[in-house]
Amino acid sequence: EDPQRPRAIITMYFNLLVQRLREKSGTPVNLVDYYEFATVDIISDRTFGELSDCLEKTKIHVRRSYKSKVWPY
């Protein structure tokens, strides 16, 4: 694997996070939600090689949401 790939992936999700927060400029947002969206996207991409699109859709996938209720850590 290209050693720059992880950096590029994280940068891509960070830029999308900033874009989503800019879109909400002037309105209150729960930053924890947005950090969770970015974290799930990055981990899903790096660990499973699949996109979860949490930042894109600004919501956690149902399966992941259910898992956090069962095991909240």
Side-chain angles (χ1 to χ4, degrees), residues 20-72:
R20 290 290 175 251
L21 292 174
R22 284 185 177 150
E23 290 169 1
K24 297 289 185 178
S25 180
T27 60
V29 295
N30 184 342
L31 288 177
V32 173
D33 288 343
Y34 282 84
Y35 292 148
E36 185 176 9
F37 299 153
T39 302
V40 170
D41 280 349
I42 292 167
I43 290 172
S44 177
D45 192 322
R46 296 297 300 144
T47 305
F48 306 114
E50 56 184 53
L51 303 175
S52 60
D53 290 331
C54 294
L55 275 171
E56 200 63 46
K57 297 175 183 172
T58 60
K59 71 178 204 174
I60 297 292
H61 189 281
V62 175
R63 233 182 1 213
R64 288 177 182 84
S65 179
Y66 176 76
K67 182 178 176 185
S68 70
K69 290 178 182 167
V70 173
W71 189 62

